[in-house]
Amino acid sequence: MENFKKIGRILKMKKIFITGCCGYIGSHTCVELLDAGYEIVGLDNFSNSKPSVLDGIKKISGKTIKFYEGDMLDKDLLETIFNENEISMVMDFAAFKSVGDSVSKPIEYYINNVSSVLTLLSVMKEHNIKSLIFSSSATVYGTPEFVPITEESKTGGTTNPYGTSKLFVEQILKDLYKSDNDWKICIFRYFNPIGAHQSGLIGEEPNGKPANLMPYISMVATKELEYLSVFGDDYDTKDGTGVRDYIHVVDLARAHIKGAEKLNKEKSGLFIYNLGTGEGYSVLEMIHAFENANHVKVPYKIEARRPGDIAECFADSSKAEKELNWKATLTLEDMCKDAYNFTKNRKNN
Ligand code: NAD
Ligand code: UD1
């Protein structure tokens, strides 16, 4: 009997509610969690994803998630989800993420990225579920004072509503933890996730013309776009172009399992981790790495700097390595190959 109770407790512990489960990072995390034996309840409103992602997750993992279509701002729906399922932890990926869009639509961004979290937190509190992993971003560091960036580096100085929305939510979570030490909260600050699942079945599908570097490079390689504009070659960096910490999305997804294990182990706490590789690559290095990995040409032109860009941003992720026993293992070549594989697949389907 005691054994059954124990198994029951373990199973109960394993049901995780994933918001934004059909998005880029959410879908890869679902695959890794299913693979590790977790059960998933997912929510998405398809504002930036497609229902076919659910088929991709099923094909890769051979498992299904219990899916709800709807909005995280819909408190009644969240109540229903928490009433109908034994949820023990939440991973919150649902948000709008376009920096450019956020400048022209600040109200929509603050509602979707901040109000929705408040709705979620209030329902979690009502149901006494106090375990949360939140997707934040390296953008909260603004223009970094030094690189590599540690979790102790100064935050703030964000230059757009998207970045500020992440900063606000981090503050809300800190205030919440201060008010009630029963919470277990893990804030992950992602650096630049790129790549796709090795199967080519799920990946990053930006709406329209991509704003980020890797999807743009991939679409130049498949000839859907003519050439890449390199935004500035006069930064104080190794070759004058911007330097970032690109991390394979599957490595990022795997960190969430480590995060879940950590929260299951701890009695309470608020933990913040940078998730990057610790390596900075320039735009030109990325172009050449992509060309070498995939044996394709990526035509480019040097153009003016993009407003709001910083010269250099890469992570010190040693805290995650030490405390979560997590480290990115996939290489830049893997990132380039998997990104191209997915883009080719998507183009042909
Ligand atoms: P994404 O847009 O691919 O995924 C977000 C998913 O959430 C989408 O499927 C979208 O339809 C859904 N969604 C958005 N608002 C919703 C709402 N109100 N209700 C229900 N579903 C909603 O983005 P992503 O790249 O997977 O990012 C996931 C999280 O990580 C976001 O919070 C993002 O801000 C953060 N982040 C992403 C990056 C990156 O480069 N991709 C970097 C740092 C942080
Ligand atoms: C951007 C966002 C960041 C967000 C991240 C993931 C800004 C200022 N920051 O980061 O908040 O978390 O996306 O969504 O927008 N580049 C080109 N040509 C291109 C595209 C990019 O040269 O067509 C360069 C950029 O100048 C930069 C690097 O490539 O040096 C990476 O750009 P990008 O992929 O957009 O990511 P970030 O700007 O780092």
Side-chain angles (χ1 to χ4, degrees):
M1 189 64 188
E2 203 36 54
N3 271 352
F4 279 122
K5 274 192 193 155
K6 203 169 156 193
I7 292 167
R9 268 201 306 275
I10 292 168
L11 288 177
K12 200 170 161 182
M13 267 181 50
K14 286 197 164 184
K15 210 170 255 186
I16 298 183
F17 177 41
I18 313 259
T19 75
C21 64
C22 293
Y24 177 44
I25 305 169
S27 59
H28 288 81
T29 304
C30 284
V31 165
E32 294 304 315
L33 287 168
L34 289 169
D35 217 32
Y38 289 89
E39 280 184 60
I40 296 174
V41 178
L43 170 75
D44 207 298
N45 63 1
F46 300 123
S47 54
N48 197 34
S49 56
K50 297 187 185 116
S52 58
V53 173
L54 292 167
D55 301 330
I57 295 172
K58 191 174 172 189
K59 266 192 201 146
I60 298 168
S61 64
K63 294 177 186 164
T64 47
I65 67 177
K66 184 165 177 191
F67 180 70
Y68 291 81
E69 179 176 350
D71 204 297
M72 202 166 104
L73 285 152
D74 182 347
K75 192 167 185 224
D76 291 342
L77 174 62
L78 293 187
E79 295 278 9
T80 304
I81 294 172
F82 279 83
N83 284 330
E84 289 182 351
N85 302 281
E86 293 279 1
I87 291 163
S88 62
M89 183 183 296
V90 179
M91 294 190 188
D92 179 23
F93 297 96
F96 291 155
K97 65 165 177 178
S98 162
V99 170
D101 257 11
S102 78
V103 176
S104 52
K105 296 183 197 153
I107 296 174
E108 287 86 340
Y109 267 70
Y110 286 123
I111 289 176
N112 203 52
N113 292 8
V114 183
S115 301
S116 68
V117 178
L118 290 170
T119 309
L120 174 70
L121 293 172
S122 61
V123 177
M124 287 177 72
K125 189 178 165 199
E126 275 165 35
H127 288 257
N128 203 28
I129 315 278
K130 296 185 174 177
S131 196
L132 171 75
I133 298 186
F134 175 70
S135 300
S136 189
S137 166
T139 194
V140 300
Y141 294 113
T143 303
E145 287 173 319
F146 54 84
V147 282
I149 302 169
T150 69
E151 290 81 356
E152 275 66 51
S153 302
K154 195 162 75 49
T155 57
T158 47
T159 52
N160 54 73
Y162 167 71
T164 310
S165 75
K166 293 291 170 191
L167 203 62
F168 284 170
V169 173
E170 287 203 4
Q171 189 58 51
I172 289 167
L173 295 176
K174 287 173 192 166
D175 292 342
L176 177 64
Y177 180 67
K178 211 184 278 174
S179 76
D180 176 358
N181 284 169
D182 282 347
W183 281 84
K184 299 193 267 186
I185 297 169
C186 174
I187 295 174
F188 279 144
R189 293 177 179 155
Y190 308 149
F191 279 65
N192 289 53
I194 59 168
H197 193 267
Q198 218 186 355
S199 62
L201 292 170
I202 54 172
E204 187 170 20
E205 277 196 82
N207 288 331
K209 213 169 165 180
N212 297 116
L213 181 66
M214 190 47 117
Y216 209 106
I217 290 183
S218 297
M219 287 175 76
V220 171
T222 54
K223 300 198 167 37
E224 289 166 89
L225 295 167
E226 199 188 335
Y227 65 90
L228 172 80
S229 302
V230 174
F231 299 139
D233 67 348
D234 55 351
Y235 286 105
D236 184 16
T237 59
K238 46 186 142 184
D239 59 20
T241 64
V243 168
R244 298 289 183 275
D245 188 335
Y246 299 94
I247 172 167
H248 199 297
V249 65
V250 171
D251 270 330
L252 201 66
R254 289 177 182 152
H256 293 74
I257 297 185
K258 298 292 191 181
E261 286 168 1
K262 166 95 178 161
L263 292 191
N264 280 334
K265 215 167 52 201
E266 297 289 339
K267 273 186 84 137
S268 73
L270 185 140
F271 312 96
I272 301 180
Y273 299 104
N274 285 341
L275 296 181
T277 64
E279 284 282 336
Y281 290 103
S282 73
V283 178
L284 293 180
E285 284 176 330
M286 292 301 287
I287 295 171
H288 299 315
F290 193 94
E291 290 182 329
N292 290 337
N294 296 307
H295 312 289
V296 286
K297 281 300 286 169
V298 178
Y300 67 89
K301 290 184 189 171
I302 305 289
E303 293 187 0
R305 289 182 179 192
R306 180 173 65 177
D309 267 356
I310 53 175
E312 216 168 15
C313 170
F314 57 96
D316 178 336
S317 288
S318 55
K319 186 177 173 202
E321 187 176 352
K322 209 164 100 203
E323 294 185 14
L324 300 180
N325 192 24
W326 169 89
K327 196 175 175 359
T329 56
L330 296 165
T331 64
L332 185 56
E333 192 182 354
D334 297 324
M335 301 180 213
C336 293
K337 278 189 172 160
D338 294 339
Y340 189 46
N341 185 32
F342 174 73
T343 307
K344 279 190 298 184
N345 250 4
R346 189 191 44 75
K347 193 187 167 199
N348 298 331
N349 286 312

